[in-house]
Amino acid sequence: MDFLRPAGWEEALAAKAEHPAAVPIAGGTDVMVEINFDHRRPEHLLDLNRIGELSEWEVGRESVRLGASVPYSAIMEHLRSELPGLALASHTVASPQIRNRGGVGGNLGTASPAGDAHPALLAAGCEVEAASVRGTRMIPIDAFYTGVKRNALEPDELIRAVHIRKADGPQQYSKVGTRNAMVIAVCAFGLALHPETRTVRTGIGSAAPTPVRAKEAEQFLNAALEEGGFWESGRIITPSIARQFAALAAGACNPIDDVRGTARYRRHAVGIMARRTLGWTWEQYRGAGRTLEGAA
């Protein structure tokens, strides 16, 4: 195995163009596990740790440009207001040591359906900035996941950053695991209210071959909130609406039975998480005084 260590971004792109099968490594929290267990033996590893810009972020007027290697601990500390859903998801990632190393770019590159960042990214809405020696393009998050641990990157492309919409309303994240730390999600659910457009977005993890949105649930809830005048009145969402939203969210799943849980349990858990996160976010929207930490 050859170890490539470019000193800058352009050098990294040139190395990836010359060795398209080279596996990028930054935090290494996913890649090194696969290598250590001999599940993967790439000919080349492409170390991106010397490229400082990948660990930087920029808060713009409407979105946050998050470098691919910005660690989860930095998101928790510095971007809680702008990216509350992703900050909550970051809290559930493994251990403090791994949160100090792992980043969103690694989750996206691996494209595992169990990646903790995916539900929050889907719910918030974002674009992935992919680059190669041929140029740069933006990939909408809804088009990024193409199969089990597969994404829309071309062989010569690297993830440079993620452009995530700043929260214009409450966001929540929930995860089911066998314990509270160092655990792969049995399933996970993210939800974001977007009052500016009067829409709701969701994200589901570890309950389908890829991370997915519960689009029928979103459409139902968007219509129910609009027709019932809930956005203007701030009234409590009725139990029947919450139940139907939860049922449609569970129906969006296409899970499997594995050592972490059965397909039936995953569907049930997603429905429960959908109902609960809807309740938490709507209480925040109504000004009930719940903080993000208290609602988690």
Side-chain angles (χ1 to χ4, degrees):
M1 185 187 303
D2 291 332
F3 193 72
L4 309 176
R5 199 174 185 220
W9 182 243
E10 297 303 324
E11 189 177 331
L13 294 181
K16 185 62 169 165
E18 184 177 354
H19 305 284
V23 176
I25 182 171
T29 57
D30 286 328
V31 173
M32 290 309 301
V33 172
E34 294 184 333
I35 291 175
N36 287 339
F37 280 93
D38 209 25
H39 295 160
R40 194 176 199 179
R41 191 61 57 178
E43 291 187 10
H44 298 87
L45 279 180
L46 180 60
D47 178 18
L48 303 177
N49 281 290
R50 297 172 69 188
I51 305 173
E53 70 169 82
L54 297 181
S55 298
E56 300 172 353
W57 67 89
E58 180 181 354
V59 179
R61 185 174 180 180
E62 296 182 350
S63 64
V64 175
R65 185 183 185 275
L66 191 70
S69 297
V70 173
Y72 292 109
S73 56
I75 297 170
M76 292 160 54
E77 182 178 356
H78 301 289
L79 296 170
R80 184 179 299 275
S81 298
E82 294 83 1
L83 308 175
L86 186 58
L88 286 170
S90 299
H91 272 283
T92 75
V93 175
S95 65
Q97 295 91 334
I98 291 177
R99 291 194 288 271
N100 284 332
R101 291 291 298 166
V104 171
N107 253 195
L108 289 167
T110 305
S112 167
D116 292 313
H118 303 312
L121 295 175
L122 284 165
C126 70
E127 292 183 312
V128 179
E129 181 181 339
S132 69
V133 293
R134 298 175 289 107
T136 301
R137 66 185 178 121
M138 304 297 287
I139 307 173
I141 191 65
D142 290 328
F144 186 78
Y145 310 108
T146 60
V148 180
K149 294 189 176 182
R150 293 170 52 202
N151 59 45
L153 293 175
E154 296 295 336
D156 64 341
E157 287 183 320
L158 293 171
I159 298 172
R160 190 173 192 175
V162 186
H163 297 251
I164 310 170
R165 296 177 193 166
K166 291 169 63 176
D168 62 310
Q171 299 180 1
Q172 272 293 340
Y173 178 89
S174 187
K175 172 180 172 179
V176 172
T178 53
R179 57 186 180 182
N180 288 330
M182 295 298 292
V183 65
I184 298 173
V186 175
C187 51
F189 190 86
L191 188 144
L193 302 184
H194 298 280
E196 290 183 2
T197 55
R198 294 189 177 186
T199 55
V200 175
R201 284 179 64 103
T202 62
I204 300 174
S206 204
T210 68
V212 295
R213 286 169 57 196
K215 292 186 177 180
E216 287 190 22
E218 293 174 13
Q219 293 167 1
F220 163 77
L221 186 58
N222 289 337
L225 295 178
E226 189 66 32
E227 293 169 4
F230 288 93
W231 290 110
E232 297 89 348
S233 68
R235 291 188 295 110
I236 296 174
I237 293 177
T238 62
S240 61
I241 291 176
R243 285 194 299 269
Q244 182 65 11
F245 173 72
L248 290 171
C253 301
N254 183 21
I256 61 171
D257 296 332
D258 64 16
V259 295
R260 286 179 285 128
T262 65
R264 180 179 179 182
Y265 176 75
R266 285 186 163 99
R267 289 193 188 93
H268 173 74
V270 165
I272 296 296
M273 289 189 291
R275 179 174 55 79
R276 289 179 177 174
T277 54
L278 175 59
W280 295 336
T281 53
W282 196 253
E283 282 188 29
Q284 290 177 272
Y285 177 72
R286 296 178 67 236
R290 255 189 173 181
T291 64
L292 284 173
E293 292 87 351

